[in-house]
């Protein structure tokens, strides 16, 4: 059964911009999908409507059988907790340790920083450390986030998402700020982690070639509409 069902999802921002129009698709558990499209196509809005960082104006999302349009605020928080989010700008708390940033995932954190970091159990800390090890960041565990390179910061972003024990990872242009060599390291890590843990992933990318390299499923967006949904090998040059 599908883990995620997106049904006729639409978003019109208050200024009248139709960022998303009638988008429907389903995602199987463990599936690795890439959303491609030019800047402004609606990729980011799509991911943010899926985890309710943005309130859709039409349609619905079902995740693990729960329909989010009818969900209470509490249920929305529970849904969001199962979806790890990775950002173009990493969104780390710059002045605290890498470990603290990763543990923040345990709180089901997404979106802008709001202060308090909370207390964590010994098991939580051990799990966060082992996640950092899996991402090759053992040496960085006690460094401050702002001491890290961009590529390292994004690996912390992946680690934080993983610390949520997510069923789905939503990655919004995770490599757009990185050079090609570092971008490859990030995509390799993200792809490997999702495969090893059976986590489904939707990654927004604007480079078609990168999408084809990693994804088994491509969703093409243009002007808020889905214009392609299929295998990479069926993608034509003209989108
Ligand atoms: P992408 O991620 O593909 O670049 P976005 O989802 O960011 O696309 O944007 C889709 C459209 O919605 C664009 O025209 C963008 O300018 C507009 N948009 C995005 N966020 C907002 C917002 N908060 N208010 C108004 N318009 C927005
Ligand atoms: P830069 O410092 O240039 O931004 P990165 O910090 O992204 O580059 O990482 C570069 C180094 O980290 C490379 O040597 C790469 O092989 C290593 N690396 C990346 N991911 C892992 C991993 N999961 N395990 C071990 N080493 C890794």
């Amino acid at each position: 059964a599908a883990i995620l069902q997106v049904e006729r999802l639409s978003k019109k921002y208050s200024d009248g911009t139709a960022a998303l129009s009638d988008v429907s698709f389903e995602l199987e558990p463990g599936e690795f999908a890439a959303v491609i499209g030019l800047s402004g196509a609606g990729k980011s809005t799509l991911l943010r409507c899926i985890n309710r960082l943005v309130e859709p104006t039409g349609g619905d999302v079902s995740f693990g059988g729960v329909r989010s349009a009818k969900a209470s605020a509490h249920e929305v928080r529970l849904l969001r907790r199962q979806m790890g989010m990775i950002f173009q700008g990493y969104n780390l708390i710059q002045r605290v340790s890498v470990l603290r940033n990763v543990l923040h995932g345990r709180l089901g954190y997404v979106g802008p920083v709001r202060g308090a970091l909370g207390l964590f159990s010994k098991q939580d800390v051990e799990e966060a450390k082992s996640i950092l090890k899996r991402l090759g960041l053992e040496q960085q565990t006690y460094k401050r986030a702002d001491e890290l390179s961009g590529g390292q910061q994004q690996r912390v972003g992946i680690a934080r998402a993983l610390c949520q024990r997510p069923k789905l990872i939503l990655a919004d242009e995770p490599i757009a700020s990185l050079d090609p060599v570092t971008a490859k390291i990030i995509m390799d890590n993200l792809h490997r982690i999702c495969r090893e843990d059976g986590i489904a992933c939707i990654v927004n990318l604007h480079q078609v070639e990168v999408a084809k390299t990693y994804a088994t499923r491509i969703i093409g967006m243009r002007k808020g509409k889905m214009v392609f949904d299929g295998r990479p090998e069926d993608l034509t040059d003209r989108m």
Side-chain angles (χ1 to χ4, degrees):
I3 185 177
L4 176 76
Q5 289 168 295
V6 174
E7 299 162 53
R8 308 200 62 176
L9 197 64
S10 300
K11 175 64 184 181
K12 199 176 231 183
Y13 286 106
S14 48
D15 65 357
T17 307
L20 213 57
S21 309
D22 250 338
V23 171
S24 303
F25 67 92
E26 293 190 350
L27 201 71
E28 300 298 317
E31 203 170 0
F32 198 94
V35 181
I36 59 171
L38 299 176
S39 180
K43 305 182 295 297
S44 182
T45 301
L46 174 61
L47 295 194
R48 284 160 194 266
C49 283
I50 289 172
N51 72 5
R52 291 274 150 162
L53 281 178
V54 165
E55 192 71 24
T57 46
D60 202 358
V61 173
S62 293
F63 183 71
V66 178
R67 302 179 75 84
S68 93
K70 292 201 181 76
S72 65
H74 175 67
E75 287 171 320
V76 167
R77 275 197 299 278
L78 291 180
L79 281 176
R80 199 179 282 163
R81 190 167 290 188
Q82 300 172 65
M83 303 181 190
M85 184 90 180
I86 297 171
F87 303 87
Q88 176 177 348
Y90 326 126
N91 277 22
L92 304 182
I93 308 171
Q94 291 299 326
R95 297 165 77 175
V96 306
S97 71
V98 164
L99 182 62
R100 276 273 177 186
N101 271 279
V102 174
L103 281 163
H104 217 167
R106 196 36 112 240
L107 305 175
Y109 160 86
V110 278
V113 174
R114 287 213 187 76
L117 276 160
L119 293 166
F120 302 96
S121 69
K122 207 172 169 194
Q123 289 97 307
D124 284 340
V125 173
E126 287 313 311
E127 185 173 336
K129 284 184 182 172
S130 81
I131 290 170
L132 284 166
K133 202 168 173 181
R134 286 178 72 191
L135 286 155
L137 290 167
E138 204 174 7
Q139 307 298 322
Q140 280 74 31
T141 304
Y142 296 103
K143 286 195 173 154
R144 271 169 46 152
D146 55 11
E147 295 178 79
L148 270 49
S149 70
Q152 290 171 337
Q153 290 196 44
Q154 192 58 296
R155 275 187 276 147
V156 176
I158 297 171
R160 177 180 57 193
L162 209 54
C163 200
Q164 281 178 238
R165 299 182 183 150
K167 295 198 178 74
L168 171 67
I169 286 181
L170 303 170
D172 194 1
E173 302 272 6
I175 58 169
S177 308
L178 301 171
D179 66 84
V181 172
T182 310
K184 185 181 182 307
I185 290 171
I186 294 303
M187 288 305 298
D188 285 346
N189 275 287
L190 179 62
H191 186 254
R192 174 179 57 82
I193 290 283
C194 288
R195 194 190 52 223
E196 286 174 357
D197 292 8
I199 301 168
C201 183
I202 307 178
V203 52
N204 286 353
L205 293 166
H206 56 243
Q207 290 147 292
V208 180
E209 283 317 309
V210 178
K212 283 179 164 177
T213 302
Y214 295 94
T216 49
R217 165 94 172 270
I218 308 263
I219 292 168
M221 298 282 301
R222 186 170 54 207
K223 294 181 183 169
K225 295 195 172 72
M226 196 163 90
V227 292
F228 181 85
D229 180 13
R231 297 176 305 170
E233 54 269 36
D234 296 329
L235 198 63
T236 54
D237 313 345
R238 289 169 54 78
M239 283 274 305

